[in-house]
Amino acid sequence: MASARVELNTITYGAAVSACEKGCQWDQALRLLVEMASARVQLNTITYNAAVSACEKGGQWDQALGLLVEMACAHVELNTITYNAAVSACEKGGQWDQALGLLVEMASAR
């Protein structure tokens, strides 16, 4: 069978980050985001959302919140999915004050 060369782009990286989310591999998901940035592959809302969800599943509320800050700095849209995953991460980490702050932020962003 001939070897195929797969282009590394937003879609392929996004699929890999999503697989990390489903496999509860939050640390690998974050490494992929760094790799994307190093390769100058554009990070988008979908890719970030998968990484935030991976952090949520891994109990890494602080990493999830860090991704929200990174998204805002990169002018990547935070949507309902983004906020829901981050709120859930805070809830799992017992960070109710952070979760409530996100709800206020989400309401004011509308």
Side-chain angles (χ1 to χ4, degrees):
M1 183 178 205
S3 135
R5 196 135 159 74
V6 176
E7 179 184 353
L8 297 177
N9 58 28
T10 302
I11 295 168
T12 53
Y13 272 109
V17 173
S18 183
C20 291
E21 175 219 342
K22 289 172 182 35
C24 300
Q25 299 294 317
W26 66 270
D27 52 341
Q28 185 61 38
L30 296 182
R31 278 194 285 277
L32 285 170
L33 293 186
V34 170
E35 188 177 312
M36 285 178 75
S38 295
R40 299 186 190 271
V41 175
Q42 184 173 353
L43 287 89
N44 63 17
T45 302
I46 296 167
T47 306
Y48 271 113
N49 284 351
V52 172
S53 291
C55 291
E56 177 257 328
K57 288 181 176 155
Q60 302 297 315
W61 64 271
D62 52 338
Q63 296 288 340
L65 294 182
L67 289 173
L68 268 63
V69 171
E70 190 177 312
M71 289 175 76
C73 289
H75 305 288
V76 175
E77 179 188 3
L78 286 80
N79 62 19
T80 304
I81 295 168
T82 313
Y83 281 108
N84 283 344
V87 167
S88 182
C90 291
E91 177 266 326
K92 287 181 178 176
Q95 302 296 315
W96 295 103
D97 54 337
Q98 296 285 349
L100 291 174
L102 286 172
L103 290 175
V104 169
E105 183 181 321
M106 188 167 79
S108 68
R110 291 186 148 198

